[in-house]
Amino acid sequence: EAGVAQSPRYKIIEKRQSVAFWCNPISGHATLYWYQQILGQGPKLLIQFQNNGVVDDSQLPKDRFSAERLKGVDSTLKIQPAKLEDSAVYLCASSFSSGRIDEQFFGPGTRLTVL
Amino acid sequence: TQLLEQSPQFLSIQEGENLTVYCNSSSVFSSLQWYRQEPGEGPVLLVTVVTGGEVKKLKRLTFQFGDARKDSSLHITAAQPGDTGLYLCAGVDNYGQNFVFGPGTRLSVLP
């Protein structure tokens, strides 16, 4: 079974530029998550989708971050404009259902560096 | 303020030694999970504990959920270099509203 795919693996941009990350979850997984992991910290949930609807985006900085999950499969996370403090690893995860303790399967992440 | 605290932050031991890492909170959690994350990879679930006082064993790893469901521990017996990684605890608060990760314990097992 293929795992969660993410691209790109690495991205370097200058502040005020825009960037987008892509995630393809495990086939059949209804729930998709985006996390931000700053160096030395645990992942922080940014947004959770159930199929193509948003379940929780309470910690998403909506003035600069946006995410969508078209057709309930792939998802993109966008930052516009980027700030220095956005430098982090962005992790995508998926789970079969939306239960909070359901096993989440993580992708390898995209490491973003904002200069 | 971290909802989940983990200690120690860093731990470096020799192969064959035993170790315990801790996950603590001032809040009650309905469940806790432990994940291991290796460099350049996403976290991988090790275990989920849901009942206060619960003990689960996974080969050389023993997980315990505190009676009051505010803390958890992970004990590794006879650590091996393959155990090296970032150990993260994560949980759902008792209101079922927030799923949060702790900051992690970075373990290094030297051969």
Side-chain angles (χ1 to χ4, degrees):
Chain A
E1 178 182 84
V4 176
Q6 291 189 248
S7 68
R9 291 296 310 273
Y10 305 92
K11 190 74 177 179
I12 301 174
I13 62 173
E14 295 189 349
K15 59 183 179 183
R16 292 188 289 274
Q17 287 187 322
S18 301
V19 65
F21 313 126
W22 174 81
C23 174
N24 182 233
I26 292 173
S27 178
H29 280 194
T31 307
L32 185 147
Y33 312 79
W34 282 103
Y35 290 87
Q36 179 193 60
Q37 186 173 23
I38 293 173
L39 186 65
Q41 298 182 19
K44 182 181 85 169
L45 179 65
L46 293 176
I47 189 166
Q48 176 184 346
F49 291 96
Q50 173 75 8
N51 296 310
N52 60 350
V54 175
V55 173
D56 182 357
D57 65 355
S58 57
Q59 298 194 85
L60 186 73
K62 298 179 186 63
D63 57 335
R64 297 185 302 107
F65 286 64
S66 64
E68 60 181 8
R69 190 182 184 196
L70 298 177
K71 301 181 181 179
V73 182
D74 293 7
S75 178
T76 56
L77 176 69
K78 296 179 181 178
I79 307 175
Q80 180 179 8
K83 293 184 175 182
L84 296 177
E85 58 261 36
D86 298 332
S87 293
V89 174
Y90 290 85
L91 294 163
C92 178
S94 69
S95 62
F96 182 73
S97 63
S98 63
R100 289 288 188 168
I101 62 170
D102 282 359
E103 181 174 4
Q104 297 183 35
F105 295 84
F106 285 82
T110 296
R111 182 176 297 276
L112 173 67
T113 301
V114 182
L115 303 176
Chain B
T1 303
Q2 293 273 7
L3 203 57
L4 285 170
E5 303 284 350
Q6 290 190 247
S7 61
Q9 187 177 359
F10 300 98
L11 186 58
S12 182
I13 61 171
Q14 293 293 131
E15 182 176 3
E17 292 183 355
N18 301 331
L19 67 113
T20 303
V21 297
Y22 301 92
C23 175
N24 297 284
S25 177
S26 57
S27 303
V28 175
F29 280 77
S30 61
S31 64
L32 273 178
Q33 296 179 320
W34 284 92
Y35 288 79
R36 180 171 65 215
Q37 184 177 22
E38 298 187 24
E41 301 293 332
V44 175
L45 180 66
L46 298 173
V47 78
T48 300
V49 286
V50 296
T51 305
E54 182 176 4
V55 177
K56 282 191 173 180
K57 293 191 175 183
L58 183 66
K59 297 183 180 178
R60 294 177 293 101
L61 279 59
T62 302
F63 305 86
Q64 184 163 8
F65 199 12
D67 291 340
R69 291 185 287 133
K70 292 184 176 182
D71 57 272
S72 181
S73 63
L74 159 58
H75 181 80
I76 301 179
T77 302
Q80 298 177 1
D83 296 326
T84 293
L86 178 68
Y87 287 81
L88 295 158
C89 65
V92 181
D93 67 22
N94 213 29
Y95 301 100
Q97 296 298 311
N98 298 303
F99 179 76
V100 294
F101 277 88
T105 291
R106 191 166 296 280
L107 172 65
S108 178
V109 182
L110 306 175

